[in-house]
Amino acid sequence: MHTNTMEGYWSLFKRSVIGIYHHVSHKYLQQYLNETAFRYNTQIQKENERFFNSLTLCDRRLKFDELTRK
């Protein structure tokens, strides 16, 4: 591991904040970082492969009140 790996990860995170989310709250920061880590670790996969890979990781339905619960 070297600093280029971390710089690559943080540049991906910063681009996603600027281009997709526009604002990141402290409350959901860990979820944003988890999504960026998943994207970074699967960056050699095509988009459809990444999508189906993420679906296989889902084991149950996530309801809105669970997502927004404090």
Side-chain angles (χ1 to χ4, degrees), residues 6-24 29 32-33 36-37 39-40:
M6 282 305 299
E7 289 175 4
Y9 174 82
W10 283 115
S11 78
L12 179 67
F13 179 71
K14 288 189 290 186
R15 282 194 310 265
S16 66
V17 169
I18 292 169
I20 299 172
Y21 308 120
H22 305 294
H23 174 72
V24 175
L29 181 61
Y32 290 118
L33 292 170
T36 306
R39 288 177 184 249
Y40 185 80

Side-chain angles (χ1 to χ4, degrees), residues 22-65:
H22 305 294
H23 174 72
V24 175
S25 67
H26 180 68
K27 180 179 178 181
Y28 299 111
L29 181 61
Q30 187 61 51
Q31 283 88 348
Y32 290 118
L33 292 170
N34 290 343
E35 180 185 355
T36 306
F38 178 76
R39 288 177 184 249
Y40 185 80
N41 292 332
T42 59
Q43 64 185 342
I44 60 171
Q45 294 178 345
K46 295 179 182 175
E47 278 297 316
N48 60 345
E49 292 173 349
R50 183 185 298 159
F51 176 73
F52 288 118
N53 187 13
S54 65
L55 284 180
T56 59
L57 297 174
C58 298
D59 59 344
R60 63 181 180 86
R61 181 178 173 190
L62 178 62
K63 296 182 181 179
F64 184 75
D65 61 338

